[in-house]
């Protein structure tokens, strides 16, 4: 069946367009193993939305548990119906969905907390960001790791739209507003369909474009002992290649992606 604005499910399109659960899990598993010489088992997915990463996590090993935290009950319910339902019962039992504010959850203690797709950018004030990072710090086991992602570069400060074609639909990333005085930005995701219909503003983000320097300062301010930045490499056309390496310096490219690690 051809997708149209009427028949499409925005969460399905979102997951296809912007989520790569296997890559996220591979990344933090590699970093954790390198640091602590063993594999983590307890993972918390903050701002989990439909809990796609949590589902990948519990599939990998029998003793893996995932704790997915999100404020929005309808999105968690969608994740339960469409993602958790694909797991066998014994695997599904190890995904624990929590409807709560990430500022309030510190139990159980976990080996890894992840905040992906820049969700923590909703904390626009430094004291809010530090309060969130303190909550994460308190949630970590002694051998723990906090992993966040970030995007930036001068193109991220421009008002522009970028289209990516997928099978049956087009994903549109719309950087609608950027205020250089305080780095606040409003971005939308739209989806376009072959029949000309459109899901306009399927998702809207009103957040602050934090810099890597600011994020690392906030982590240290919140009590983390050290931070590391893993910078994405590029292919011969200058596009991101999905390979992240620990860096102290990087080229000031127009647009970039990175992971930040907070260590206790
Ligand atoms: C950008 S989506 C991220 C979805 C998914 N984690 C991903 O990687 O694509 C942001 C999610 O954060 C949730 N959210 C926003 N503020 C929150 C808060 N203070 N505590 C918990 N969840 C929150 C929203 O309900 C939404 O599902």
């Amino acid at each position: 069946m051809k997708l149209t604005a009427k028949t499409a499910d925005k969460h399905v399109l979102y997951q296809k367009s912007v989520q790569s659960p296997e890559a996220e899990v591979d990344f933090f598993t590699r970093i954790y193993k390198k640091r602590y010489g063993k594999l983590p088992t307890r993972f918390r997915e903050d701002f989990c939305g439909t809990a796609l990463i949590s589902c990948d996590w519990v599939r990998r090993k029998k003793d893996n548990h995932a704790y997915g935290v999100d404020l929005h009950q309808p999105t968690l319910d969608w994740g339960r119906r469409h993602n958790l339902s694909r797991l066998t019962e014994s695997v599904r039992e190890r995904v624990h969905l929590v409807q709560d504010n990430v500022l309030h959850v510190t139990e159980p203690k976990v080996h890894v907390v992840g905040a992906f797709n820049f969700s923590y950018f909703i904390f626009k004030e430094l004291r809010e960001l530090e309060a969130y990072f303190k909550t994460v710090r308190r949630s970590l086991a002694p051998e723990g790791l906090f992993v966040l992602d970030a995007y930036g570069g001068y193109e991220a400060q421009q008002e522009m739209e970028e289209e990516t074609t997928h099978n049956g639909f087009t994903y549109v990333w719309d950087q609608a507003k950027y205020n250089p005085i305080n780095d606040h930005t409003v971005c939308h995701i739209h989806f376009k369909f072959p029949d000309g219909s459109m899901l306009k503003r399927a998702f809207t983000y009103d957040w602050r474009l934090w810099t890597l320097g600011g994020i690392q300062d906030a982590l240290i301010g919140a009590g983390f002992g050290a931070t590391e930045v893993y910078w994405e490499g590029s292919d011969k056309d200058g596009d991101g290649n999905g390979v992240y390496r620990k860096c102290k310096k990087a080229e000031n490219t127009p647009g970039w992606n990175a992971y930040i690690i907070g260590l206790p």
Side-chain angles (χ1 to χ4, degrees), residues 54-65:
S54 292
C55 289
D56 188 75
W57 178 246
V58 291
R59 256 194 224 110
R60 297 211 176 192
K61 256 190 321 131
K62 276 197 184 122
D63 50 351
N64 279 3
H65 282 258

Side-chain angles (χ1 to χ4, degrees), residues 18-37:
V18 307
Q19 291 207 270
S20 318
E22 297 84 7
E24 316 276 29
V25 172
D26 285 351
F27 175 76
F28 70 71
T29 305
R30 165 168 75 91
I31 303 302
Y32 190 96
K33 186 147 186 263
K34 204 165 88 187
R35 171 112 201 141
Y36 297 114

Side-chain angles (χ1 to χ4, degrees), residues 11 14-15 18-20 24 45-53 69-73 75-76 98-104 114-120 122-123 132 149 189 203-205 207:
H11 291 298
Y14 175 90
Q15 291 188 166
V18 307
Q19 291 207 270
S20 318
E24 316 276 29
E45 183 184 4
D46 278 354
F47 310 97
C48 70
T50 60
L52 197 60
I53 304 173
V69 182
D70 201 285
L71 265 183
H72 196 235
Q73 188 64 51
T75 305
L76 289 172
V98 184
Q99 190 266 316
D100 207 339
N101 192 321
V102 294
L103 292 169
H104 300 155
F116 297 108
N117 270 322
F118 331 115
S119 308
Y120 62 98
I122 53 142
F123 298 122
Y132 168 53
D149 56 9
I189 291 176
F203 298 93
T204 290
Y205 306 104
W207 57 27

Side-chain angles (χ1 to χ4, degrees), residues 195-262:
D195 70 342
S197 62
M198 183 169 180
L199 268 182
K200 209 169 157 49
R201 299 187 179 181
F203 298 93
T204 290
Y205 306 104
D206 183 349
W207 57 27
R208 172 163 171 182
L209 190 64
W210 286 96
T211 63
L212 291 175
I215 296 161
Q216 291 181 87
D217 283 352
L219 286 166
I220 299 298
F224 281 86
T227 61
E228 294 174 345
V229 172
Y230 288 75
W231 189 260
E232 188 181 17
S234 51
D235 61 21
K236 59 181 176 358
D237 301 323
D239 297 324
N241 63 3
V243 180
Y244 290 81
R245 296 228 157 75
K246 188 157 77 171
C247 286
K248 292 269 186 208
K249 266 189 177 178
E251 194 188 333
N252 187 22
T253 47
W256 48 256
N257 280 293
Y259 283 111
I260 306 112
I261 297 291

Side-chain angles (χ1 to χ4, degrees), residues 36-205:
Y36 297 114
K38 59 182 184 179
L39 291 172
T41 56
R42 292 191 304 279
F43 163 62
R44 192 174 88 203
E45 183 184 4
D46 278 354
F47 310 97
C48 70
T50 60
L52 197 60
I53 304 173
S54 292
C55 289
D56 188 75
W57 178 246
V58 291
R59 256 194 224 110
R60 297 211 176 192
K61 256 190 321 131
K62 276 197 184 122
D63 50 351
N64 279 3
H65 282 258
Y67 302 85
V69 182
D70 201 285
L71 265 183
H72 196 235
Q73 188 64 51
T75 305
L76 289 172
D77 292 342
W78 190 99
R80 221 181 264 288
R81 279 198 310 277
H82 294 83
N83 292 335
L84 274 73
S85 64
R86 290 170 195 261
L87 306 172
T88 60
E89 200 183 332
S90 65
V91 177
R92 184 164 59 237
E93 275 169 359
R94 291 183 279 107
V95 181
H96 315 276
L97 296 185
V98 184
Q99 190 266 316
D100 207 339
N101 192 321
V102 294
L103 292 169
H104 300 155
V105 182
T106 55
E107 296 290 339
K109 305 301 179 213
V110 292
H111 299 116
V112 178
V113 174
F116 297 108
N117 270 322
F118 331 115
S119 308
Y120 62 98
F121 282 8
I122 53 142
F123 298 122
K124 290 180 177 170
E125 302 297 326
L126 181 59
R127 62 186 158 73
E128 286 177 320
L129 190 67
E130 283 192 358
Y132 168 53
F133 289 173
K134 277 183 190 159
T135 308
V136 173
R137 174 73 191 80
R138 295 218 312 271
S139 310
L140 289 176
E143 294 184 327
L145 193 95
F146 181 28
V147 54
L148 310 115
D149 56 9
Y151 74 100
Y154 49 87
E155 277 181 5
Q157 303 178 346
Q158 284 167 1
E159 293 169 8
M160 50 102 112
E161 284 194 9
E162 186 184 72
E163 298 199 350
T164 310
T165 310
H166 289 270
N167 191 10
F169 70 97
T170 300
Y171 162 84
V172 186
W173 174 246
D174 176 3
Q175 292 176 182
K177 280 191 213 164
Y178 179 80
N179 181 350
I181 300 290
N182 55 17
D183 302 320
H184 293 184
T185 180
V186 177
C187 302
H188 309 285
I189 291 176
H190 318 291
F191 297 107
K192 293 207 264 189
F193 303 95
D195 70 342
S197 62
M198 183 169 180
L199 268 182
K200 209 169 157 49
R201 299 187 179 181
F203 298 93
T204 290
Y205 306 104

